[in-house]
Amino acid sequence: MHDPLYSHIPFQLNELPHRYGPQVHLVGNPFLLSQLARLCAKGTTQPEINRLVALLYTDLMKMVLNAEFPRTRVAVATRMIDSTPQGIYQGEVLDPAVRAVTVNIARAGTLPSQVAYDLLNTTLDPARVRQDHIMMSRTTDARDIVVGSNIGGAKLGGDVDDAFLLFPDPMGATGGSLSTAVNLYKNQVAGTPRRILSLHLIVTPEFLRRVTREHPDLSVYALRLDRGLSPPEVFGTVPGELWEKERGLDDHQYIVPGGGGFGEIMNNAYV
């Protein structure tokens, strides 16, 4: 007999309310926000930093898999099949035949992308999972103001047709790096992705404004929204309600309250 209990497994992401649009997902998770607060604290150093980043991205990836990836129904004989013909689990699982590409935007994105890659390989058919690599740096003007992003090199392993294209990058600050990376795939890589997803620990209103405008087909997942430099009237409002007044970046495009430059702290390289 087939028990239909697991024929369709509902999943609802716990999201904070906002007015940034349906492609933005601000995850409300007390445990993960607690770990993120520890990660960003001034006294947190290696090796705890990378341990926390790996923990946070493992759970964030699981949420994205549950919310975004397709499913299929299976019938799997359990170890009880030798004792009874009823020893078969029938139910819905994540479809292992899906293609997925995770992109390492070096250097802050190296560890998050590796975490995503490893988890995808345990969930999907590993032959259909790939990790690409992009070397990128901010470009600044004479006043040290960030004016863009420059790709110094890339190692891309093929097309992205019908693939879930993921960009796990901890800090969504200006949106310049992510927008540049997404444009690279849209303009220079063959195929049309099934979905384009970015995964962040922290984002700013400025980041969301840019990426939603330039890439309306991008879905953003973030654990925290930082708008600490906004005027007083912003606080207490629903995020996005006073979007034009919200501000999360200082004059050097660092996030406030933020956690410093993640590429620097994760690599102990302050250059």
Side-chain angles (χ1 to χ4, degrees):
M1 295 292 294
H2 169 57
D3 187 344
L5 179 63
Y6 296 103
S7 294
H8 177 71
I9 305 171
F11 177 81
Q12 184 172 351
L13 190 70
N14 185 35
E15 298 187 58
L16 300 178
H18 65 79
R19 297 182 182 175
Y20 297 127
Q23 70 269 46
V24 175
H25 306 279
L26 301 178
V27 179
N29 187 302
F31 172 77
L32 295 183
L33 288 171
S34 299
Q35 301 304 308
L36 180 55
R38 291 180 59 193
L39 171 61
C40 295
K42 184 177 179 180
T44 304
T45 60
Q46 293 289 9
E48 188 175 12
I49 285 171
N50 282 7
R51 183 189 67 79
L52 287 168
V53 169
L55 181 154
L56 290 164
Y57 265 98
T58 297
D59 279 16
L60 184 55
M61 264 300 302
K62 290 177 182 177
M63 293 180 198
V64 171
L65 285 165
N66 283 324
E68 294 279 355
F69 279 58
R71 305 168 186 179
T72 188
R73 293 180 184 177
V74 296
V76 179
T78 75
R79 294 182 183 87
M80 293 303 295
I81 194 65
D82 294 335
S83 303
T84 171
Q86 280 75 42
I88 298 177
Y89 168 75
Q90 299 182 65
E92 197 174 57
V93 299
L94 292 171
D95 187 352
V98 171
R99 290 191 71 196
V101 178
T102 179
V103 182
N104 161 28
I105 302 178
R107 57 188 175 174
T110 300
L111 176 57
S113 183
Q114 185 66 44
V115 170
Y117 179 65
D118 289 341
L119 191 57
L120 288 166
N121 276 322
T122 66
T123 307
L124 310 178
D125 176 1
R128 302 182 68 81
V129 177
R130 187 177 90 228
Q131 182 172 207
D132 286 351
H133 304 269
I134 300 175
M135 294 296 298
M136 189 179 298
S137 59
R138 289 176 163 186
T139 56
T140 59
D141 61 18
R143 299 170 298 161
D144 288 331
I145 302 298
V146 177
V147 294
S149 300
N150 178 58
I151 294 179
K155 189 73 171 180
L156 312 181
D159 70 85
V160 291
D161 196 47
D162 200 35
F164 281 78
L165 182 60
L166 294 90
F167 296 89
D169 195 27
M171 307 295 268
T174 68
S177 295
L178 179 65
S179 186
T180 299
V182 173
N183 279 330
L184 174 67
Y185 280 87
K186 287 182 175 180
N187 299 328
Q188 300 185 36
V189 179
T192 301
R194 183 186 301 198
R195 295 281 282 152
I196 306 176
L197 308 164
S198 66
L199 290 70
H200 311 278
L201 301 184
I202 300 174
V203 294
T204 67
E206 295 95 326
F207 171 88
L208 294 175
R209 183 180 297 110
R210 177 167 183 173
V211 299
T212 56
R213 181 183 69 248
E214 296 184 1
H215 300 288
D217 54 342
L218 170 72
S219 289
V220 178
Y221 284 80
L223 294 183
R224 199 173 87 194
L225 169 76
D226 280 10
R227 50 179 183 168
L229 294 177
S230 302
E233 62 267 24
V234 164
F235 300 109
T237 65
V238 175
E241 184 176 351
L242 299 175
W243 198 349
E244 71 283 354
K245 294 184 177 181
E246 293 179 349
R247 184 183 174 200
L249 295 174
D250 67 11
D251 291 338
H252 295 284
Q253 279 67 55
Y254 278 86
I255 299 175
V256 178
F262 267 43
E264 300 167 347
I265 65 171
M266 290 171 67
N267 292 279
N268 271 342
Y270 295 87
V271 293

